[in-house]
Amino acid sequence: MSIKNPTRRQLIVAGGLAGGGLLLGYAFSGPSRHTLAERAVAGKGEQVLATWLKISPDNTVTIYVPHADMGQGVVTSLAMMAAEEMEADWSLVRAEVAPAEKAFANESFGLRYTEGVHIPPMFQGLTDAALLKVAQLMNVQITGGSSSVRWTGEHGMRPAGASAKDMLVRAAAARWNVAPGECVAKLSHVTHPSGKSATYAELANDAAELSPPSHPVLKSKADFTIIGKPIPRFDIPSKVNGTALYGIDARRPGQLYAAIKFVPVFGGDVVSYDEKQVLSRRGVRKVVRLPGVGVAVVADNYWRAKEAANALDIKIDAKGNDAVSMKTIYAQHDADLAKDKGSKDVEIGDADAALGQAAKRIETTYRVPYLAHACMEPMNCTVWIHGEQAEVWVGSQSPLTVRGRVADIAGLDFGNVKVHPYLLGGGFGRRVPVVKGFLDFPSEIDFATLIAKEVDAPVQLLYTREDDIQHDAYRIAVTSTFKAALDANGNPVAWANRYTSKDEPGEAAHIPYAVPNQSIRYVESPTAVPRGPWRSVAHSQHTFFTESFMDELAHEAGKDPFEYRRKLLKNEPRHLAVLELAAAKAGWGTPLEKGHARGIAIQQAFKTIVAEVVEVSVSPSGDLKVHRVTAAVDCGSTVNPDTAAQQVESGIIFGLTAALHGEITIEGGAVAQSNFTDYEMVRMADVPAIEVHFIDSGAELGGLGEPATPPVAAAVANAVFAATGKRIRELPLKNHDLTPLTAKMAQAAD
Amino acid sequence: MTVSFKVNGVRQTLDVEMEMPLLWALRNEMGLTGTKFGCGVAACGACTVHIDGVATRSCVTPLSAVENREVVTIEGLAAEQGAKDALAPIQAAWVAHQVPQCGYCQSGMLMAVSALLKEKPKPTDAEIDEAITNVCRCGTYPRIRAAIHSLSNA
């Protein structure tokens, strides 16, 4: 086999498999929106994806997906994209999370990739610069930023499938001595009008000898037979009978379990402890000090390890951080915001001047607290260090980063660390491991490795739920101040916003509305509380702020909040269509039961525009119920409409939990909440009716895992205002007395 | 101390602490990893199993409480339901409605819902809300409700 047409921007590699079959991979460097992913992989501006498909002698096609499936159905969606272009018979398509296939670990196979191929920069710092490693590492793509379908799928899976089809057709044409253009690929066969027909499997070996096309031709949407269909997910059957394996389910012979007694205060350390307190307990094998973190206890059963860790008295030094509380953090935000003008985010026109001349000026401040991810599967990582080798069993949004991190901490060569990717029991940004200089806080990956260095067996570190809530990498608390000016007709002529701590993505605080003078600026306000990406990242805070404040302006102007937005979106046709669809489907403006009200909000995130109309009721005593959420979504088009709708439902409920209940507070330098008992989740009884409507705009594909989360909080708060007259400027809603102002006035009059 | 009880129809005798929660005996001593750890304080339902047919949160159930009783886990659900196929009707409904996302909470959901349906074959929405208090972080609740109703209308 040889490598054909390698270029810097695009790399297609193909080859025959021992035992027959065709293996084809496609790597590229693509758009660089998501700096999180960029930083993780070290190469500036580079996104390298490798997607692979294999044709086996029984004519099945196996598609290896380089992304973690943490519930979003991406393994199925990506396989659909490859199968579509390949003209595969879907009943013969299988999918696996790479690299479950032994062929990829086969050295002689992998070595064939090393001839004359440029190694993309992302791999250079992470590998020993042999493409063997690339072959072994193709499961490395970070899963985040709602990127799987729009990057890997659009730029990897579809071209890979199209390339395979092209090669199979040319192989058939050569065999039959006819022109490739006369042959048709369909349902995993190539046929010729003369009646000749061959299965993909029969052509695979010949195809493997051909050059992949440099510019594979993609199908047009009108010809799709797989994309756009609600195809059942591959992973569901294993998730209803207990056979699906998550990181926590990793089991190796002789495996031990570890629990940590954490130092509760961020930035504190362990001063002393007496390991004799627990070493004599049944099953306890080892006590390991983790500097700056706590003390780990290793035992032969997790419950024994946890009970022993609980029993261990540790003396800690808070290093002065025990004075940190929400009061000090918010005071710091306020001081930092008052200090100077901050850094530029958006400057259009002259907001200061417009504010000075305004007919009406509105000023206000919004805040949101820290949030934990609370993935259903508590954090865990299983590591076995034996000799110069390490093996890791973990569910991660970036197995490659895990590999590098374990190698660093264990002091091993990168090539001597093997990561076995397991399913993730929720991710939401929490299972993106440490990246130097960005998410630079220690995590369970680090701790598990440190513990494994001290133990001569595979060891599984598992957090309790309390550990998970109290030692997360939190969605940061943000304070955001606004000033706006309205002209005599109530139209906004100035929008001035200053907020603490810029985060990803950079445009989260931007507004789509036609406001002629805008000044959006930020100040950094760092704290010792570990920060991390949380589903939709900065959109989760800023959409609440900007869409609530826009609602305030509408009410100040005496206008209907939908009509007010509509007018300001006249230059944004996609936004306008989404807003109007949500309003129409929700029956905006039609009468509601007494005590009920609607709120609306819209946001573009990860290239997808979502508008949500929420219907709530607030009882005279202030009890809030969310009855209905109507969502309109323009993500370009959908690959699998059923999983797409699932992701929107999921994002709405995730955002609703945050809006209603979500609050992590810092008291005494530590997290005050500990479990689902005081970090409440939306449950069955709280779930509103949810309707999802997609607009097939044909625009560039947007993400779906995250964009439905941002608008919920603002839409609920705007509905609460409509129902009660109370403007909620700080989340969560549970902290507010929502007794309607009119009812209160009525009570006072009694 | 030994404790003896049936798990998925098979008698098990364990020489472990009587206060060890059933969850950790299942997961660490018997290799039955389908039952999940979620909170450890009976607040999320991920660890739900059937004990003598009753949905029970195994993370707070000490082994002393299961002596001589019959425990069924997700691995034994299809057999307990008398399913002729690999999947019981409730599991097939979960597949038909494409309920799971990450799937981690679904073992507990299925055990909780199957116990509810045994007691109330046609639960109302209010009965579902009251009985199914399990947490799903992915928000599969609307599909769980739809799957339950499809079973009660079957």
Side-chain angles (χ1 to χ4, degrees):
Chain A
M1 188 206 83
S2 59
I3 307 295
K4 310 289 167 55
N5 300 321
T7 67
R8 182 169 159 67
R9 282 276 139 202
Q10 181 169 301
L11 164 69
I12 298 173
V13 287
L17 272 179
L22 168 71
L23 182 82
L24 188 133
Y26 186 89
F28 87 118
S29 43
S32 57
R33 188 208 56 75
H34 200 62
T35 51
L36 168 67
E38 275 173 39
R39 288 174 194 170
V41 297
K44 198 161 190 276
E46 299 286 343
Q47 273 297 327
V48 175
L49 307 175
T51 61
W52 303 77
L53 49 90
K54 186 184 78 176
I55 300 167
S56 299
D58 64 359
N59 211 25
T60 55
V61 177
T62 307
I63 292 159
Y64 294 93
V65 173
H67 282 280
D69 204 319
M70 44 191 182
Q72 74 281 47
V74 67
V75 171
T76 309
S77 298
L78 292 180
M80 287 168 69
M81 297 175 92
E84 177 72 65
E85 294 294 345
M86 197 184 168
E87 297 292 354
D89 177 345
W90 183 253
S91 69
L92 299 175
V93 175
R94 313 282 178 262
E96 288 182 23
V97 174
E101 174 63 31
K102 282 193 178 123
F104 297 120
N106 178 317
E107 199 158 325
S108 61
F109 178 77
L111 280 171
R112 297 164 80 178
Y113 285 82
T114 59
E115 299 157 16
V117 175
H118 171 76
I119 298 169
M122 73 162 273
F123 288 122
Q124 289 173 355
L126 295 162
T127 71
D128 63 0
L131 264 186
L132 163 64
K133 306 301 173 192
V134 179
Q136 290 172 336
L137 287 175
M138 64 194 180
N139 62 321
V140 299
Q141 181 57 30
I142 278 200
T143 304
S146 297
S147 61
S148 308
V149 163
R150 59 203 178 99
W151 290 355
T152 312
E154 278 296 276
H155 302 290
M157 287 294 170
R158 289 186 62 195
S163 301
K165 180 183 76 177
D166 180 273
M167 292 159 76
L168 290 159
V169 165
R170 280 186 284 133
R175 185 178 292 181
W176 301 330
N177 201 20
V178 298
E182 294 169 9
C183 299
V184 176
K186 206 174 177 186
L187 295 171
S188 296
H189 286 72
V190 180
T191 55
H192 185 264
S194 64
K196 292 192 172 68
S197 174
T199 66
Y200 282 1
E202 288 161 356
L203 296 166
N205 285 342
D206 288 0
E209 296 301 317
L210 301 175
S211 303
S214 56
H215 296 91
V217 180
L218 302 184
K219 289 174 75 172
S220 69
K221 202 171 153 183
D223 298 326
F224 287 168
T225 58
I226 297 171
I227 293 176
K229 299 276 187 307
I231 286 180
R233 286 167 51 172
F234 288 118
D235 58 332
I236 300 279
S238 72
K239 289 177 174 175
V240 301
N241 64 8
T243 56
L245 292 178
Y246 301 83
I248 195 174
D249 301 324
R251 293 290 181 270
R252 307 300 306 161
Q255 179 171 322
L256 299 174
Y257 299 85
I260 295 175
K261 175 97 165 193
F262 278 94
V263 174
V265 177
F266 296 121
D269 204 353
V270 185
V271 176
S272 63
Y273 60 94
D274 180 7
E275 64 178 25
K276 284 200 236 34
Q277 267 188 311
V278 299
L279 274 176
S280 60
R281 293 172 75 109
R282 181 171 175 183
V284 172
R285 302 289 174 82
K286 188 103 187 169
V287 176
V288 181
R289 183 186 190 130
L290 300 169
V293 178
V295 181
V297 178
V298 180
D300 61 355
N301 172 302
Y302 177 67
W303 175 75
R304 291 181 184 128
K306 178 178 73 78
E307 291 292 298
N310 279 347
L312 198 62
D313 285 324
I314 62 169
K315 213 175 144 213
I316 70 152
D317 177 359
K319 300 193 171 169
N321 292 318
D322 50 349
V324 176
S325 67
M326 290 320 290
K327 209 173 151 191
T328 66
I329 289 167
Y330 285 145
Q332 178 189 316
H333 283 184
D334 293 343
D336 288 339
L337 285 165
K339 221 162 39 193
D340 56 49
K341 277 195 70 165
S343 306
K344 178 186 151 181
D345 196 338
V346 173
E347 285 291 346
I348 299 170
D350 187 340
D352 278 350
L355 282 160
Q357 301 153 10
K360 195 168 198 176
R361 229 176 112 126
I362 301 125
E363 285 193 41
T364 193
T365 298
Y366 282 80
R367 290 192 210 277
V368 290
Y370 293 99
L371 292 176
H373 298 79
C375 301
M376 286 310 296
E377 179 195 11
M379 294 304 116
N380 63 82
C381 181
T382 304
V383 180
W384 183 25
I385 299 174
H386 45 98
E388 293 300 305
Q389 310 283 322
E391 286 185 73
V392 186
W393 294 264
V394 70
S396 173
Q397 289 176 247
S398 178
L400 174 66
T401 319
V402 168
R403 190 170 175 182
R405 190 74 181 179
V406 171
D408 282 351
I409 293 170
L412 297 173
D413 284 346
F414 184 84
N416 288 352
V417 177
K418 186 166 188 189
V419 174
H420 304 273
Y422 273 56
L423 287 173
L424 290 73
F428 316 121
R430 176 61 181 86
R431 286 187 157 102
V432 177
V434 174
V435 176
K436 275 196 182 125
F438 183 54
L439 301 170
D440 210 351
F441 60 89
S443 78
E444 63 283 352
I445 310 294
D446 304 33
F447 309 150
T449 310
L450 289 168
I451 296 164
K453 282 172 79 171
E454 306 295 323
V455 179
D456 194 18
V459 60
Q460 178 172 90
L461 170 64
L462 174 59
Y463 283 20
T464 61
R465 177 59 60 192
E466 289 79 7
D467 299 337
D468 176 66
I469 299 289
Q470 299 185 333
H471 300 279
D472 195 352
Y474 300 89
R475 195 289 297 267
I476 50 171
V478 174
T479 300
S480 189
T481 64
F482 290 90
K483 290 179 192 169
L486 304 185
D487 67 15
N489 298 318
N491 297 315
V493 289
W495 174 280
N497 175 205
R498 292 175 62 225
Y499 62 89
T500 54
S501 302
K502 192 170 174 66
D503 206 343
E504 296 285 323
E507 71 276 14
H510 302 183
I511 52 171
Y513 302 107
V515 180
N517 302 288
Q518 298 182 24
S519 172
I520 305 173
R521 307 183 73 86
Y522 61 94
V523 297
E524 292 304 333
S525 193
T527 72
V529 181
R531 66 188 278 181
W534 184 97
R535 197 173 192 169
S536 82
V537 206
H539 287 290
S540 80
Q541 298 106 334
H542 288 287
T543 306
F544 169 65
F545 303 149
T546 56
E547 281 295 279
S548 293
F549 190 59
M550 185 49 73
D551 218 66
E552 291 204 55
L553 301 190
H555 286 284
E556 285 292 337
K559 304 276 170 62
D560 174 90
F562 160 62
E563 295 294 346
Y564 194 70
R565 284 179 174 80
R566 203 169 156 231
K567 201 172 158 196
L568 294 169
L569 289 173
K570 59 179 188 291
N571 301 326
E572 301 290 340
R574 285 182 67 203
H575 281 79
L576 194 57
V578 171
L579 188 81
E580 288 177 343
L581 181 65
K585 294 290 183 184
W588 185 269
T590 59
L592 287 167
E593 271 179 66
K594 194 171 183 296
H596 287 234
R598 294 186 187 98
I600 191 166
I602 184 169
Q603 178 71 341
Q604 177 166 14
F606 309 98
K607 306 242 167 167
T608 292
I609 304 166
V610 181
E612 289 164 16
V613 174
V614 171
E615 181 186 331
V616 305
S617 66
V618 182
S619 75
S621 55
D623 296 324
L624 168 67
K625 185 165 173 60
V626 179
H627 295 272
R628 190 173 172 215
V629 180
T630 309
V633 181
D634 177 359
C635 58
S637 56
T638 57
V639 172
N640 185 334
D642 192 51
T643 51
Q646 234 181 10
Q647 283 302 295
V648 175
E649 292 162 13
S650 173
I652 286 169
I653 293 171
F654 203 84
L656 196 57
T657 284
L660 299 178
H661 308 298
E663 179 177 46
I664 289 292
T665 55
I666 308 297
E667 301 303 334
V671 169
Q673 292 71 26
S674 65
N675 206 315
F676 293 125
T677 46
D678 54 11
Y679 189 64
E680 244 311 329
M681 300 287 125
V682 161
R683 299 178 194 231
M684 191 70 95
D686 316 313
V687 176
I690 299 175
E691 271 180 44
V692 183
H693 303 278
F694 287 99
I695 291 179
D696 192 358
S697 69
E700 183 191 349
L701 288 190
L704 271 173
E706 301 175 272
T709 299
V712 188
V716 172
N718 294 341
V720 165
F721 178 81
T724 66
K726 288 183 170 173
R727 178 59 62 184
I728 304 303
R729 298 192 183 90
E730 205 166 322
L731 294 176
L733 280 139
K734 69 165 183 179
N735 291 348
H736 297 271
D737 171 9
L738 298 181
T739 312
L741 286 177
T742 48
K744 211 166 210 176
M745 285 184 275
Q747 280 165 7
D750 282 344
Chain B
M1 280 294 279
T2 62
V3 58
S4 181
F5 54 102
K6 271 191 177 176
V7 179
N8 301 331
V10 179
R11 179 151 294 278
Q12 301 278 349
T13 303
L14 299 177
D15 177 12
V16 296
E17 300 89 322
M18 294 297 274
E19 65 270 28
M20 181 185 288
L22 174 60
L23 171 67
W24 298 110
L26 293 169
R27 291 188 54 81
N28 283 181
E29 304 291 325
M30 290 177 239
L32 291 170
T33 55
T35 305
K36 300 304 189 204
F37 167 52
C39 70
V41 297
C44 79
C47 66
T48 305
V49 297
H50 295 167
I51 299 179
D52 293 342
V54 177
T56 307
R57 293 185 175 177
S58 65
C59 71
V60 294
T61 305
L63 287 176
S64 58
V66 298
E67 176 81 49
N68 285 327
R69 298 177 74 179
E70 301 231 5
V71 176
V72 173
T73 68
I74 185 71
E75 290 91 345
L77 179 64
E80 183 200 44
Q81 304 273 305
K84 291 187 194 77
D85 304 318
L87 297 181
I90 184 174
Q91 292 165 308
W94 250 237
V95 175
H97 288 265
Q98 295 280 292
V99 170
Q101 289 184 30
C102 92
Y104 190 81
C105 72
Q106 297 298 337
S107 295
M109 287 285 185
L110 285 157
M111 298 311 284
V113 171
S114 56
L116 168 68
L117 290 172
K118 191 176 136 200
E119 200 186 323
K120 293 180 173 133
K122 291 177 186 281
T124 62
D125 280 331
E127 286 167 340
I128 293 170
D129 290 347
E130 197 188 326
I132 308 304
T133 57
N134 298 33
V135 175
C136 170
R137 201 67 174 111
C138 299
T140 60
Y141 305 110
R143 286 173 189 239
I144 290 172
R145 192 185 298 280
I148 294 172
H149 286 314
S150 77
L151 287 160
S152 30
N153 295 327

